[in-house]
Amino acid sequence: MSDEYDVLIKNNTWELVPRPSGVNIIRSMWIFCHKLNSDGSFERYKPRLVGDGKTQQLDVKNAFLHGDLYETVYMYQPVGFRDPVYPDHVCKLRKSLYDLKQAPELGGLFLSQQKYVESIIARVGMSSCKSSATPIDTKSKLSGFSSSPCEDPSLFRSLAGALQYLTFTRPNISYVVKQICLFMHAPMTDHMLALKRVATISRSSAEVEYRGVANVVSEACWLRNFLLELYHPLTKATIVYCDNVSAIYLSENPVQHQCTKRVEIDIHFVREKVARGDVRVLHVPSRYQIADIFSKGLPLILFTDFRDSLSVRPPPAPPEGLY
């Protein structure tokens, strides 16, 4: 508890001030979590000082631990660490604590890896380069034999690994990072160029798309049966969208031919559900297929729209007057 308290004081989490009249003072509490050893055995209790958000007036969960607060929040002094000189003073928070309902004002979680991105770019010597519109060329196809070997394979692998961590906050580059990582064992010059473009367009086949439809139909049927057991059966068909016209045709008219001989079980399964009226497989234009950002290279307009749908945004601006 002393270590936790010392860290909070070192970070200037609050300042002691006389208790103002007519304001809400939130409680402070100590919560003890179990810290385990690598083998799963108990090691010790880890104390954590939290603010009782239940006594606040805002309905916004804390997103930035120890981040700067723009609102005025008062909290009672931590139990066991009351200042002997000013025992009646309260803590005017400068930064947020666990369980506060402050920050950010909109009830979301904003994650940023800006400094991490800048460090990756600096390692490649590209700090002065212009950015590209999309992380991958829609016409390029990466191959293991398309060019000469990469001059520095170790650098390629290191950067590819760094980009994997970047996908936590930049899901829009997940596809191209996955493609790059396929060649980590023997990177070529073209692969390094593709990597630099980040910070091969996969071909859809009727077989692959249809297996995806079958998986969705299977999950939908499980949910329908579950609701039936709860005496809330569905009276309408479950709508399944697919952007592959051939796969949709197979769900209604399963003509057997060479390219579908390995999916006969899936064909009969989906076809049965469609015939019974439990499922309808409809076409969705690629324009609305947001998942494409994870599976192929896209034109700039589609890439931008789909990226925005993933809530990848610029950093939020601070409230007016605060710097």
Side-chain angles (χ1 to χ4, degrees):
M1 292 172 65
S2 298
D3 292 340
E4 173 78 0
Y5 180 82
D6 291 340
V7 171
L8 294 172
I9 295 299
K10 183 179 179 180
N11 290 334
N12 295 318
T13 309
W14 63 70
E15 62 175 324
L16 286 180
V17 297
R19 178 174 180 173
S21 59
V23 299
N24 182 46
I25 311 295
I26 66 174
R27 295 188 301 162
S28 62
M29 300 178 293
W30 289 101
I31 292 181
F32 298 91
C33 304
H34 289 186
K35 185 173 179 61
L36 306 179
N37 295 311
S38 58
D39 60 356
S41 61
F42 175 78
E43 178 186 350
R44 63 183 174 87
Y45 289 106
K46 180 177 177 58
R48 176 180 295 173
L49 182 66
V50 302
D52 184 7
K54 296 179 181 179
T55 59
Q56 291 184 264
Q57 305 300 319
L58 298 179
D59 189 21
V60 183
K61 291 187 181 296
N62 171 44
F64 306 115
L65 180 61
H66 299 165
D68 294 335
L69 281 177
Y70 299 130
E71 298 89 357
T72 301
V73 180
Y74 295 97
M75 181 184 75
Y76 289 108
Q77 296 187 47
V79 178
F81 294 89
R82 192 180 301 273
D83 189 287
V85 181
Y86 303 104
D88 296 326
H89 278 38
V90 294
C91 301
K92 182 180 180 181
L93 296 182
R94 295 194 181 110
K95 300 183 178 181
S96 59
L97 292 172
Y98 293 97
D99 282 1
L100 284 188
K101 295 185 179 180
Q102 253 77 13
E105 293 183 355
L106 298 180
L109 173 64
F110 183 82
L111 299 179
S112 175
Q113 289 181 298
Q114 180 176 349
K115 292 185 178 179
Y116 184 65
V117 173
E118 293 172 350
S119 66
I120 296 176
I121 296 176
R123 288 170 59 186
V124 197
M126 297 176 58
S127 299
S128 59
C129 293
K130 296 181 179 179
S131 60
S132 61
T134 59
I136 189 172
D137 186 358
T138 57
K139 298 181 181 180
S140 67
K141 295 182 180 180
L142 298 180
S143 170
F145 309 98
S146 59
S147 59
S148 58
C150 179
E151 295 182 359
D152 192 346
S154 297
L155 177 62
F156 177 88
R157 297 185 182 103
S158 176
L159 293 172
L163 290 176
Q164 291 186 44
Y165 286 100
L166 187 58
T167 58
F168 291 144
T169 56
R170 305 290 179 89
N172 51 294
I173 65 172
S174 299
Y175 170 71
V176 64
V177 172
K178 178 184 66 176
Q179 295 301 309
I180 288 173
C181 291
L182 293 177
F183 304 99
M184 292 182 69
H185 63 289
M188 298 289 180
T189 303
D190 286 352
H191 306 151
M192 177 60 83
L193 293 177
L195 184 148
K196 289 183 177 180
R197 184 184 174 94
V198 185
T200 186
I201 300 179
S202 60
R203 294 183 176 180
S204 298
S205 66
E207 178 181 345
V208 175
E209 293 284 350
Y210 200 84
R211 288 190 184 277
V213 171
N215 290 334
V216 174
V217 171
S218 177
E219 293 295 326
C221 290
W222 184 90
L223 290 173
R224 294 178 68 92
N225 290 332
F226 180 67
L227 291 174
L228 179 62
E229 294 178 358
L230 296 178
Y231 299 100
H232 286 79
L234 296 179
T235 57
K236 296 183 179 180
T238 301
I239 306 300
V240 176
Y241 291 101
C242 177
D243 66 347
N244 188 280
V245 178
S246 298
I248 297 175
Y249 287 157
L250 287 175
S251 68
E252 299 177 354
N253 183 27
V255 178
Q256 304 299 320
H257 50 78
Q258 186 66 21
C259 72
T260 62
K261 64 180 182 179
R262 291 173 293 182
V263 290
E264 292 182 6
I265 296 179
D266 290 335
I267 286 177
H268 292 300
F269 169 70
V270 177
R271 171 61 178 161
E272 176 191 356
K273 299 303 179 182
V274 172
R276 292 176 55 181
D278 293 338
V279 174
R280 292 181 62 196
V281 183
L282 304 180
H283 179 256
V284 56
S286 297
R287 174 66 181 80
Y288 304 105
Q289 187 71 309
I290 299 176
D292 279 353
I293 198 172
F294 299 114
S295 61
K296 62 183 68 175
L298 296 172
L300 175 59
I301 295 178
L302 286 181
F303 177 81
T304 303
D305 289 346
F306 293 168
R307 180 192 61 190
D308 293 343
S309 69
L310 298 175
S311 297
V312 178
R313 301 283 194 274
E320 185 177 354
L322 294 175
Y323 301 93

